[in-house]
Amino acid sequence: MWKPDRHNPKPLYEQIADHLEQRISYGEFPPGSLLPSERKLAEQLGVNRSTVILAFGELRSMGIIESRPGSGTRVSKFKWGAVPKHTPNWKRYAEGGSFLPNLPFLRRIREALQQNPALIDFASGELSADLAPIEEMTELMGTNPYPSYLGYGHPQGYMPLRQAVASYLDRYRGIQATESSILITSGSQQSLYLITQCLLSPGDAVAIEDPSYHYSLPMFQSAGLRLVRLPADEEGILPEEIRSLHKKHRIKMIFVNPNFQNPTGTLLSDDRRGALLEVASELGLPIVEDDPYSLTDYEGIPRSPLKSMDRVGSILHIGSFSKMAAAGLRVGWMVAPHSIVERLADARQQMDFGLSVIPQQVAARFLESPYFEPHLHRLRTQLRRKRDLLVEALQQELPDSVRFHVPQGGIHLWCRLVPSVSDAKLLEEAIKKGVVFVPGSVYGSDSGYVRFTFGRAKAEEIGPGIAKFAEALRGLTDSFPTVKKAK
Ligand SMILES: Cc1ncc(COP(=O)(O)O)c(C=O)c1O
């Protein structure tokens, strides 16, 4: 039992105050807990009660303890400033907030790519360095590198970029939009975030394609939304199904990715585009048209977007630079009624005061430059070549074990494995062999589907990457015949 040292030149009450402060800081007396009474403490420490009263007075003046008549002396709950340091419980903080973590498979893929940059990457939804217009952008920025003023930008985005996007939409997508109906975002992802957070409420049901890229975003669940899956085949979703699903779930919004859909690569047929608009306008449902891939159409004739056929104003159209130029630029846009653009721009201000003007300037110059058209042409040609290399490699390596439709644009090929194998085991085996892909269950499908993205890998990596994947697959089941590679 500790006792104050009577030979110590420090006064007794100060020694007692220090001693109590230490015990409080070690957690022996947590915030809000009751301390022994003055009388009892005086007895225990062998001092006068007046000495303990002085010690308590000292601690009270530092805000460490509080006394209330009739309820004794307690460790302060609120004023811990003077108490020696405590490390916050960061783990608990990290588990807090409303954002759910990314899906475990996606975190595993990211970790594997960080640990081994030599992995052949069929997972990342982006373009390889040789497909991005880096040289063109460098040249465009070289002459006049920065805008004349670098203050906070307009809440809807940099005006010259909104003008450039409006003329791009008119020329390439047949969409008539003015600068005031365009919101610049840091990519489609942010457009989706703003829509789910600001236009919908927890408990609302939203319809997504089955399978769907949107299923892979915990963002939807973090916003408290219920996901209703729309059945789909090789021609995209079946619009007629929306009626019965709406009856059952009271759908509030429909999310579609009609061109070279992520993950299946499918193109929504013209008939179904018409039918979808018909059903949505009948039910008064807004549609989010997520359209990052249309300009990668290998024939160079992208389908008309839903927005260009929209006569009643039910479409929020979102686009991005990510899949047609450079994901790292982080530039995207949304076309919406002005009231919605204003609401989202206001929310956006609260989040980050808008996207930096510099990438917006790069994007504006590139869209308006003579480099844009030839870049698109080269991009389509190169992507088609990569698609062909992938199809050829799958046919050679796994002729009896995979089923797929050949995409006519975009960067994804959706593959069914016959027979099915466990997603988790296949991913781990593939990582061991030196290749990475995204298991289909990430997008809501059953085990046994794989998304191969061929935009990110170099052309010369595609054959060897599929050979490694085939090895991993064969390692998991004896039933796959070993296929010799044709010379
Ligand atoms: C369908 C779809 N929507 C949105 C995004 C997000 O893209 P961005 O880089 O524009 O935020 C992606 C990225 O893979 C996508 O495939």
Side-chain angles (χ1 to χ4, degrees), residues 251-429:
I251 293 167
K252 280 277 168 56
M253 205 175 260
I254 303 168
F255 287 77
V256 285
N257 171 205
N259 298 311
F260 314 120
Q261 198 243 14
N262 183 359
T264 60
T266 50
L267 196 55
L268 185 65
S269 70
D270 287 340
D271 288 352
R272 292 193 190 174
R273 281 171 201 250
L276 173 59
L277 281 170
E278 194 69 35
V279 176
S281 57
E282 234 179 88
L283 300 173
L285 287 177
I287 299 175
V288 175
E289 179 180 36
D290 184 6
D291 187 33
Y293 299 106
S294 51
L295 286 211
T296 59
D297 183 303
Y298 307 144
E299 297 299 327
I301 319 166
R303 291 292 163 99
S304 300
L306 295 167
K307 182 74 188 164
S308 69
M309 303 151 74
D310 179 21
R311 300 286 165 260
V312 292
S314 45
I315 311 285
L316 303 178
H317 177 88
I318 66 181
S320 164
F321 246 57
S322 293
K323 318 294 170 171
M324 65 175 180
L329 206 57
R330 303 314 298 138
V331 173
W333 49 86
M334 184 186 319
V335 187
H338 187 60
S339 56
I340 295 295
V341 168
E342 271 197 327
R343 163 81 178 107
L344 300 184
D346 181 74
R348 174 80 196 285
Q349 286 290 94
Q350 298 175 43
M351 282 166 57
D352 62 2
F353 282 118
L355 179 63
S356 161
V357 173
I358 295 170
Q360 297 191 69
Q361 192 184 33
V362 179
R365 287 187 190 180
F366 183 58
L367 273 180
E368 305 234 285
S369 77
Y371 297 132
F372 186 57
E373 185 79 46
H375 160 75
L376 286 180
H377 183 74
R378 189 170 65 96
L379 176 68
R380 289 187 206 110
T381 313
Q382 296 295 330
L383 284 178
R384 187 189 347 218
R385 180 163 164 255
K386 287 189 179 187
R387 188 266 328 252
D388 290 345
L389 288 168
L390 177 61
V391 168
E392 207 177 287
L394 285 168
Q395 283 166 347
Q396 272 185 14
E397 295 287 344
L398 296 161
D400 304 317
S401 323
V402 289
R403 305 276 183 276
F404 55 84
H405 287 277
V406 179
Q408 301 307 314
I411 59 175
H412 307 296
L413 184 143
W414 183 243
C415 208
R416 183 159 71 89
L417 306 177
V418 192
S420 164
V421 293
S422 142
D423 275 357
K425 282 189 188 151
L426 183 57
L427 181 62
E428 286 311 318
E429 261 330 283

Side-chain angles (χ1 to χ4, degrees), residues 5 32 48 51 64 80 98 169 173 184 191-192 197 205 249 259 349 356 365 379 403 417 430 441 444 461 481:
D5 181 0
N48 289 331
T51 311
I64 295 173
W80 272 75
S98 57
L169 288 168
R173 309 301 292 125
I184 301 299
S191 300
L192 293 169
Q197 287 292 327
H249 303 283
N259 298 311
Q349 286 290 94
S356 161
R365 287 187 190 180
L379 176 68
R403 305 276 183 276
L417 306 177
S441 58
E461 288 177 329

